[in-house]
Amino acid sequence: MIIKYIRPVILILALVVVFSFCAKKESDKIEKGKIEMGIKKQSFGKTPDGIDVDLYTLTNANGLKARLITYGAILVSLEVPDKNGTPGDIVLGYDDLDGYIKENPYFGAIVGRYGNRIAKGKFKLDGVEYRLATNNDENHLHGGIKGFDKVVWQAETVQKKEAAGVKFTYLSKDGEEGYPGNLPCTVIYELTNADELKVRYEATTDKATPINLTHHSYFNLAGQGTGDILSHQVLLAADYYTPVDEALIPTGELRPVKDSPMDFTSAKAIGKEVDLVKGGYDHNFVLNNQNGTLALAAKVVEFSSGRIMEIYTTEPGIQFYTGNFLDGTITGKAGKVYKKHYGFCLETQHYPDSPNKPNFPSVILRPGEKYTHLTVHKFYASQE
Ligand code: BGC
């Protein structure tokens, strides 16, 4: 009697399981244009010296989500739909503040006062020699020991008709990490309904100073922690790059990319020639557009998810870094272990070591002038 009923019962149970799995998959999908745009503020904990850190979640009308914290003005996650409409977090990072404070290779951070290296932490300006904090052997990297990525920024929300944003402000004091001049800085992140993440920078100073602000997300368009980024296809709008010495300091030369592994003028997989570049890509590319207007700098395509990212910038350079120093010792979000090449950075910027390279575009900001920089990350997905 019981045996007679067992098979249909098992069949019904199996159908229920399959149905609820499919229903869940459907509900994971984002319905374009149907989500309420918004900004949510929450606590993200306290720094060891007791300063409150806040988390802002920006959501656009298509369900893209950017989560930003006041510590380092860090983008802690960025959820973007794939070709099936299923959202995925495409930037590396940590689940909590502790992770960012203990050891952060600049995941998602705003880098300043000077992005990338200044040789021997020294430069001369108007006849005066300045000595900066050194934190990369004998060189100065990403603003020094306590750069803009390690300070708590003030924040206020920015709500527009077609965008949700956060405006971060920070006053870098005269003498901080060795730099001259008080430098009030503003960084505004906006998530627009056109599926763009815009980063807009502004600063002024009361003494001449070098400045080079950038954003340092490590991307993996297949989803953070899912594997290496070697099959991503990259295009860079750059006919020249700045070769470097052993310590990754530019030699001063602008070299054509043509006929070298540095040639990304047509899209190619990152992994195609990465082994021909000692250590992996960690180079500044000289963008073809040098006139300060917004122009396409890079396009990245990841076929399995269909996700595509385009980067537009007003800056003259872009640092292409392929996560060469990730070595499996960092456990990031959702317990994911980050190994070599698990993320790539495309940092829009002026060239490294410009304060010591008179032939590079100037990075000197003087009293009465305004530093401005706009970078736009545009996201979409393709079925191909
Ligand atoms: C630099 C790398 C550096 C990395 C730190 C990149 O911008 O070019 O050399 O190791 O930042 O995470």
Side-chain angles (χ1 to χ4, degrees):
M1 186 65 177
I2 293 177
I3 293 183
K4 191 173 151 201
Y5 289 113
I6 266 182
R7 279 172 68 175
V9 165
I10 288 178
L11 191 69
I12 287 165
L13 279 177
L15 282 173
V16 167
V17 168
V18 169
F19 178 77
S20 51
F21 178 75
C22 293
K24 171 150 178 16
K25 275 269 161 225
E26 268 309 304
S27 69
D28 281 350
K29 285 188 186 173
I30 286 177
E31 275 198 73
K32 252 182 166 305
K34 295 227 171 126
I35 314 260
E36 204 180 324
M37 210 177 98
I39 309 174
K40 197 167 86 189
K41 181 181 169 187
Q42 288 159 285
S43 168
F44 201 65
K46 275 183 199 296
T47 63
D49 34 7
I51 306 172
D52 286 321
V53 173
D54 293 325
L55 165 74
Y56 288 85
T57 304
L58 312 179
T59 308
N60 80 357
N62 303 321
L64 272 76
K65 267 194 174 64
R67 290 163 73 242
L68 295 148
I69 55 171
T70 49
Y71 181 79
I74 291 174
L75 175 70
V76 297
S77 70
L78 182 60
E79 281 178 32
V80 173
D82 67 6
K83 60 186 173 192
N84 302 315
T86 309
D89 181 4
I90 57 162
V91 292
L92 275 53
Y94 297 99
D95 284 325
D96 56 22
L97 183 61
D98 211 38
Y100 288 100
I101 285 175
K102 277 196 184 134
E103 190 206 353
N104 182 15
Y106 306 93
F107 288 151
I110 291 298
V111 170
R113 186 177 298 197
Y114 197 92
N116 220 285
R117 293 175 177 78
I118 297 180
K120 302 199 168 60
K122 282 199 292 197
F123 65 93
K124 249 192 180 166
L125 178 57
D126 299 336
V128 180
E129 182 172 278
Y130 291 94
R131 284 180 177 270
L132 303 172
T134 50
N135 58 328
N136 188 242
D137 299 324
E138 56 174 7
N139 302 313
H140 175 89
L141 174 68
H142 292 335
I145 296 163
K146 190 171 181 184
F148 291 7
D149 59 296
K150 295 180 189 67
V151 301
V152 178
W153 295 60
Q154 298 301 309
E156 57 187 88
T157 57
V158 179
Q159 186 88 65
K160 293 187 181 166
K161 193 165 164 271
E162 289 300 325
V166 190
K167 176 179 176 180
F168 291 105
T169 48
Y170 173 64
L171 170 65
S172 171
K173 297 243 176 78
D174 189 11
E176 189 178 286
E177 301 297 300
Y179 287 103
N182 290 298
L183 186 89
C185 300
T186 304
V187 177
I188 303 172
Y189 286 91
E190 276 177 10
L191 186 63
T192 74
N193 286 343
D195 296 347
E196 300 154 324
L197 181 70
K198 291 189 175 174
V199 194
R200 194 185 298 275
Y201 310 73
E202 280 182 14
T204 54
T205 186
D206 57 7
K207 279 185 195 164
T209 178
I211 177 169
N212 189 29
L213 306 182
T214 192
H215 173 78
H216 207 294
S217 272
Y218 288 62
F219 293 96
N220 182 331
L221 300 185
Q224 72 91 20
T226 57
D228 69 52
I229 45 73
L230 297 177
S231 64
H232 286 53
Q233 298 270 327
V234 170
L235 174 138
L236 298 175
D239 293 339
Y240 291 82
Y241 75 107
T242 51
V244 288
D245 68 14
E246 289 288 304
L248 298 172
I249 305 288
T251 59
E253 187 194 350
L254 303 187
R255 191 180 291 174
V257 296
K258 204 173 181 330
D259 300 326
S260 83
M262 297 294 162
D263 191 352
F264 285 92
T265 53
S266 308
K268 72 174 181 215
I270 296 176
K272 188 170 179 214
E273 290 163 310
V274 70
D275 292 340
L276 303 176
V277 183
K278 201 169 163 234
Y281 295 101
D282 192 355
H283 294 81
N284 169 68
F285 285 74
V286 175
L287 292 170
N288 295 338
N289 180 48
Q290 291 280 312
N291 66 12
T293 56
L294 194 68
L296 181 79
K299 179 174 177 183
V300 187
V301 179
E302 200 286 310
F303 287 114
S304 70
S305 64
R307 290 193 187 95
I308 299 174
M309 172 172 70
E310 290 172 356
I311 298 181
Y312 297 81
T313 190
T314 55
E315 287 293 282
I318 196 162
Q319 184 79 13
F320 180 40
Y321 170 60
T322 47
N324 313 326
F325 297 115
L326 297 175
D327 59 3
T329 53
I330 289 180
T331 301
K333 285 182 277 186
K336 303 284 187 192
V337 175
Y338 300 145
K339 300 186 193 152
K340 191 173 179 183
H341 301 319
Y342 264 43
F344 67 89
C345 305
L346 283 166
E347 304 150 62
T348 53
Q349 58 174 22
H350 273 62
Y351 317 160
D353 203 30
S354 294
N356 296 307
K357 299 283 181 326
N359 61 321
F360 286 179
S362 171
V363 288
I364 305 304
L365 181 72
R366 294 184 180 275
E369 296 175 345
K370 194 186 222 177
Y371 168 86
T372 57
H373 163 181
L374 171 66
T375 292
V376 178
H377 300 78
K378 163 103 184 142
F379 298 97
Y380 53 101
S382 155
Q383 300 296 330
E384 287 162 35

